[in-house]
Amino acid sequence: MSETTITRRELKRSNYSDSSETLSLLLLPRPLSASDLSSAAKPGSRIRVAYQGVSGAYSESAAQKAYPNCEVVPCDQFDTAFQAVEQWLVDRAVLPIENSLGGSIHRNYDLLLRHSLHIVGEVQFPVRHCLLANHGVHIEELTRVLSHPQALAQCENTLTKLGVVREAVDDTAGAAQLDGSISCRIIHLICVYVQFVAFHKLKDTGAVASAGAAKIYDLNVLAKDIQDDSDNVTRFLMLAREPIIPGTDRPFKTSIVFSLEEGPGMLFKALAVFAMRNINLTKIESRPQRKQPLRSLGDHSNGSLKYFDYLFYVDFQASMADPIAQNALRHLEEFATFLKVLGSYPMDVSLT
């Protein structure tokens, strides 16, 4: 159903008021889906930045921190955000790559290699969870709370003390939309359905999301900073079609991916090219090769011995404009079976 066919008719069916406030909610941006990618980008002077999620998601705030005054474009999937940049529908994408509590977002590591985008920056965004509910609802009236599984886990102590039932959906802002909604099974990323939620006015349902989501979806903040650990930070990557020219005027980080032959000490040799040059590694992540996840190692009495074949993603603190970094990668190329620079970009040293 399109956004233009759901307004007054559907509101009447659901017994919603035909107020200007109601209709204005229907104008919130609908996340891009794969079917939208054939559309031409709208001309405009502001930079267009894709993120995964819906309005009010932490990813939207991260995109706005990375590119102030940008036009944010929500996407329903990580893949869609990558494709939106590749197909010139948007200028940039800002996507999460790791969380200080939850660890790596493996899907985006895989997509970095599958797509031809370049990392041009990073942004570290502190996650501050809030407990939201409809206006007039008191915290002691809540019997269930909705959110992303990771967000619920990060607020376990608070929610346990409240004694509420926890129900997981796919996106923290989506949970705010579903507060008092028909069912969690509704695909929350279809934003036109989300607007109905705020008008159900259930008295027993809350959501864990951002304070920004409360403003957008007209919910009340019952409690702020309910996460168990105050040091909850998500690192986002800024992605573009073209790389930036690395410099040496400020701290830079370089991200690479490589593969190695199987053998004793091969990974040690790979990492040693950085250690011997005093280059600090800030991240290493291994992912199985998608096309050939298993290799056979010679003959074995019970058949070929199989082992996982890995790709190694590494971040290190150096600019590709620095000869030391260039020499390290030349050294690595001598025995790596595959090597690709994903980007060399300024480090984000702030947590505001």
Side-chain angles (χ1 to χ4, degrees), residues 89 173 181-182 203 344:
L89 193 59
S181 69
I182 353 175
K203 301 297 184 182
S344 189

Side-chain angles (χ1 to χ4, degrees), residues 239-306:
L239 303 172
R241 289 179 292 272
E242 299 294 335
I244 62 171
I245 299 175
T248 55
D249 56 329
R250 50 182 165 165
F252 262 70
K253 183 181 291 185
T254 299
S255 296
I256 63 172
V257 56
F258 61 90
S259 59
L260 301 167
E261 289 288 354
E262 176 66 14
M266 290 301 294
L267 182 57
F268 174 82
K269 287 178 60 178
L271 301 182
V273 306
F274 303 102
M276 67 176 57
R277 295 173 174 87
N278 292 318
I279 296 176
N280 184 40
L281 300 185
T282 60
K283 173 75 172 178
I284 181 168
E285 182 77 30
S286 61
R287 297 290 295 151
Q289 293 262 23
R290 290 184 61 86
K291 294 183 179 180
Q292 188 181 347
L294 292 174
R295 279 193 193 181
S296 297
L297 184 63
D299 294 327
H300 194 263
S301 57
N302 295 322
S304 297
L305 181 64
K306 293 185 180 295

Side-chain angles (χ1 to χ4, degrees), residues 105-154:
I105 291 88
H106 295 132
R107 176 64 176 164
N108 283 337
Y109 273 103
D110 295 338
L111 290 173
L112 280 172
L113 195 55
R114 184 181 302 178
H115 295 273
S116 57
L117 301 184
H118 302 268
I119 305 173
V120 296
E122 66 174 1
V123 57
Q124 299 189 93
F125 191 81
V127 177
R128 296 190 172 98
H129 293 308
C130 297
L131 181 60
L132 315 180
N134 282 300
H135 293 283
V137 175
H138 299 287
I139 196 167
E140 60 270 12
E141 296 175 309
L142 297 180
T143 60
R144 66 170 181 161
V145 170
L146 313 180
S147 195
H148 188 282
Q150 192 175 86
L152 293 175
Q154 292 171 0

Side-chain angles (χ1 to χ4, degrees), residues 244-254 279 316-327 329 343-347:
I244 62 171
I245 299 175
T248 55
D249 56 329
R250 50 182 165 165
F252 262 70
K253 183 181 291 185
T254 299
I279 296 176
F316 60 88
Q317 287 180 308
S319 170
M320 284 305 297
D322 191 331
I324 294 178
Q326 297 171 16
N327 291 336
L329 294 193
S344 189
Y345 48 91
M347 292 177 58

Side-chain angles (χ1 to χ4, degrees), residues 22-228:
T22 303
L23 295 177
S24 67
L25 284 172
L26 293 172
L27 300 178
L28 288 173
R30 177 177 61 86
L32 289 177
S33 64
S35 61
D36 295 317
L37 296 179
S38 58
S39 304
K42 295 180 180 179
S45 56
R46 284 198 300 167
I47 186 171
R48 289 167 57 85
V49 180
Y51 68 94
Q52 189 276 329
V54 293
S55 295
Y58 292 108
S59 292
E60 181 185 39
S61 299
Q64 292 168 333
K65 178 185 176 183
Y67 296 101
N69 302 316
C70 69
E71 178 185 351
V72 288
V73 180
C75 297
D76 63 347
Q77 301 290 337
F78 291 131
D79 311 55
T80 309
F82 274 86
Q83 293 174 49
V85 181
E86 287 181 324
Q87 298 184 24
W88 295 78
L89 193 59
V90 298
D91 304 294
R92 301 284 191 274
V94 174
L95 298 172
I97 196 66
E98 61 178 328
N99 175 265
S100 58
L101 301 181
S104 300
I105 291 88
H106 295 132
R107 176 64 176 164
N108 283 337
Y109 273 103
D110 295 338
L111 290 173
L112 280 172
L113 195 55
R114 184 181 302 178
H115 295 273
S116 57
L117 301 184
H118 302 268
I119 305 173
V120 296
E122 66 174 1
V123 57
Q124 299 189 93
F125 191 81
V127 177
R128 296 190 172 98
H129 293 308
C130 297
L131 181 60
L132 315 180
N134 282 300
H135 293 283
V137 175
H138 299 287
I139 196 167
E140 60 270 12
E141 296 175 309
L142 297 180
T143 60
R144 66 170 181 161
V145 170
L146 313 180
S147 195
H148 188 282
Q150 192 175 86
L152 293 175
Q154 292 171 0
C155 303
E156 183 176 359
N157 291 341
T158 299
L159 298 178
T160 299
K161 290 178 182 178
L162 290 176
V164 293
V165 174
R166 284 158 268 185
E167 297 184 14
V169 292
D170 289 337
D171 183 272
T172 47
Q177 295 175 348
L178 284 169
D179 184 55
S181 69
I182 353 175
S183 168
C184 286
R185 293 184 182 132
I186 295 177
I187 302 175
H188 69 276
L189 291 177
I190 304 178
C191 290
V192 289
Y193 291 101
V194 172
Q195 321 316 329
F196 300 159
V197 171
F199 300 93
H200 277 289
K201 303 299 182 185
L202 292 187
K203 301 297 184 182
D204 65 345
T205 303
V208 174
S210 66
K215 293 180 181 179
I216 293 172
Y217 302 112
D218 192 30
L219 298 175
N220 187 35
V221 178
L222 296 180
K224 294 182 179 180
D225 292 328
I226 64 170
Q227 62 274 3
D228 299 342

